[in-house]
């Protein structure tokens, strides 16, 4: 079905039996805009009349409508992202989860995650959200190098991320993640390794490491275009990935998705839902949802989001219905990134033949009836997908 433009009225949605179901909540607030970030975020100067309490009220209305539209599915995972959820403060983040519970039944073992930035997450914040029922915290670390943090426009001090991770663990969180970015202009191998070692030394059970991407429309892209900063080099990015992977593996964190490593049972179940065929409702400005074969996305600006809900309408900007070809493409694209790999029976005859070529090139390894990326294949995952799909 072709893409629908705004305004859009969602078709009937029915969660698929047997699939994990998640809820994603997007918090659109940030103190400053990091130079590399193209997420749907707004600083106080950009918001006008919407404050956190007005946004929470609008979110409550969306959750109420969502529960009614979906027929009350049991929620396996909740993920509060942004933006900077920790800017709301512990009490509001706790209230947010209470609003979710008012509308949805959470599974007894539900994973409940919030993102947090080190400069706005302190011991009282972690204590408040742990008491409220959050089970997992994901902290934006990026680097411990002052020059790298400066290029990325991060405002926390180099040591604050590690301190925040330890505070979260001390508050009783069993699952804490630190996010790193590698390949920033001016970063050295030693900068990355010190960041990885610092993350490991905190005792967290999950580390994500992402290659820096220069997104159009960002301050970083403008600096690269003007020649102030060099664009990330693909060979350097590959080398840094290998360094991070080796260091994390030696510390007992195993890759389970191309950009994610964890200790045993430390996987982010919510993100696994994205990669492995789960469904979710996306709530908040600019959030995306996916149920059945329907994907939709909300209006981006918090003012427009609140106005839609005040008028009794879902704040949906557009949606698309995925046909069989699109669903297959997404399955290959996402599942090949996982350590468990892609089942051969999900590929057609021609795709299996092409897979033999990729195996011969050393990018995929047959493991039983599955195809799994080799270490070199992880560096070229997108190319592997293009070859498989033809």
């Amino acid at each position: 079905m072709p893409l629908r433009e705004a305004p859009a009225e969602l078709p009937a949605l029915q969660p698929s039996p047997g699939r994990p179901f998640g809820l994603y909540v997007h918090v659109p607030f940030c103190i400053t805009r990091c130079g590399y970030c193209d997420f749907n975020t707004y600083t106080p100067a950009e918001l006008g009349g919407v404050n956190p309490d007005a946004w929470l009220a609008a979110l409550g209305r969306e959750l109420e409508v969502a529960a009614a539209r979906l027929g009350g599915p049991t929620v396996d995972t909740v993920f509060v992202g942004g933006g900077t959820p920790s800017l709301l403060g512990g009490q509001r983040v706790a209230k947010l989860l209470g609003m979710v519970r008012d509308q949805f039944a959470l599974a007894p073992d539900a994973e409940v995650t919030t993102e947090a930035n080190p400069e706005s997450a302190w011991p009282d914040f972690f204590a408040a959200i742990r008491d409220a029922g959050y089970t997992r915290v994901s902290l934006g670390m990026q680097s411990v190098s002052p020059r790298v943090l400066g290029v990325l426009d991060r405002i926390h001090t180099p040591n604050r991320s590690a301190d925040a991770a330890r505070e979260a663990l001390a508050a009783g969180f069993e699952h804490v993640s630190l996010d790193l970015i590698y390949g920033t202009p001016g970063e050295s191998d030693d900068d990355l390794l010190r960041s990885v070692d610092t993350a490991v030394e905190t005792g967290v059970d999950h580390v994500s490491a992402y290659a820096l991407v220069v997104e159009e429309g960002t301050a970083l892209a403008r600096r690269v275009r003007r020649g102030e900063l060099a664009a990330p080099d693909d060979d350097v990015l590959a080398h840094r990935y290998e360094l991070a992977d080796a260091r994390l593996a030696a510390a007992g964190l195993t890759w389970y998705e191309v950009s994610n490593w964890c200790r045993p049972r430390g996987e982010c179940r919510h993100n696994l839902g994205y990669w492995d065929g789960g469904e979710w409702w996306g709530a908040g400005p600019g959030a995306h949802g996916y149920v059945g074969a329907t994907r939709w996305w909300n209006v981006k600006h918090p003012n427009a989001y609140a106005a839609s809900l005040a008028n009794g309408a879902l704040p949906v900007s557009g949606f698309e219905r995925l046909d069989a070809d699109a669903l297959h493409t997404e399955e290959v694209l996402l599942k090949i990134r996982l350590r468990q790999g892609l089942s051969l029976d999900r590929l057609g005859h021609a795709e299996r033949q092409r897979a033999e070529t990729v195996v011969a090139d050393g990018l995929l390894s047959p493991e039983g009836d599955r195809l799994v990326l080799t270490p070199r294949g992880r560096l070229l995952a997108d190319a592997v997908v293009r070859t498989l799909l033809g």
Side-chain angles (χ1 to χ4, degrees), residues 15-258:
S16 302
R19 291 188 185 181
F21 188 84
L23 179 66
Y24 172 76
V25 177
H26 186 73
V27 180
F29 307 115
C30 281
I31 287 292
T32 61
R33 187 180 302 282
C34 297
Y36 63 93
C37 180
D38 71 338
F39 291 171
N40 186 47
T41 63
Y42 301 85
T43 64
E46 297 169 327
L47 280 175
V50 173
N51 59 50
D53 292 315
W55 169 81
L56 267 176
L59 176 69
R61 288 191 287 271
E62 184 182 1
L63 293 173
E64 183 178 3
V65 176
R69 290 289 299 267
L70 294 170
T74 298
V75 174
D76 299 294
T77 63
V78 179
F79 195 105
V80 182
T84 311
S86 48
L87 275 181
L88 296 174
Q91 295 306 312
R92 287 195 186 96
V93 175
K95 179 180 178 181
L96 189 159
L97 182 56
M99 292 163 53
V100 169
R101 286 199 175 106
D102 287 343
Q103 304 300 334
F104 292 91
L106 268 59
D109 64 342
E111 174 193 86
V112 184
T113 303
T114 186
E115 293 181 337
N117 275 7
E119 74 278 2
S120 57
W122 300 90
D124 58 344
F125 172 82
F126 295 121
I129 65 171
R130 185 71 187 96
D131 287 346
Y134 284 81
T135 66
R136 189 174 180 278
V137 174
S138 179
L139 287 157
M141 180 180 191
Q142 320 317 346
S143 178
V144 297
S145 164
R147 65 172 174 268
V148 171
L149 293 174
V151 171
L152 296 175
D153 296 321
R154 300 291 290 187
I155 61 175
H156 61 80
T157 59
N159 295 327
R160 179 58 206 149
S161 299
D163 289 344
R166 295 186 183 99
E167 290 162 4
L169 291 167
F173 282 95
E174 181 181 355
H175 302 298
V176 179
S177 177
L178 286 168
D179 291 356
L180 301 175
I181 289 178
Y182 60 89
T184 301
E187 177 193 62
S188 67
D189 287 355
D190 186 59
D191 289 331
L192 173 64
L193 290 174
R194 284 191 298 110
S195 299
V196 172
D197 289 345
T198 300
V200 168
E201 288 163 4
T202 65
V204 300
D205 68 339
H206 191 286
V207 174
S208 301
Y210 302 103
L212 179 66
V213 177
V214 180
E215 301 284 2
E216 276 304 314
T218 62
L220 179 63
R222 292 190 288 273
R223 295 184 69 186
V224 169
R225 190 163 51 248
R226 290 194 298 262
E228 297 175 15
L229 296 171
D233 179 271
D234 288 343
D235 290 337
V236 171
L237 292 175
H239 174 61
R240 297 270 161 75
Y241 179 90
E242 291 172 332
L243 287 177
D245 180 52
R247 201 68 144 223
L248 290 165
L253 285 89
T254 303
W255 80 281
Y256 71 96
E257 191 274 341
V258 168

Side-chain angles (χ1 to χ4, degrees), residues 331-332 335-336 338 340-344 346-347 369-372 388:
E331 180 179 28
V332 174
K335 290 192 175 183
I336 201 68
L338 295 172
Q340 68 196 46
L342 177 68
S343 176
L344 275 168
R346 307 305 300 165
L347 297 177
D369 63 349
R370 310 186 76 83
L371 295 172
V372 177
L388 289 176

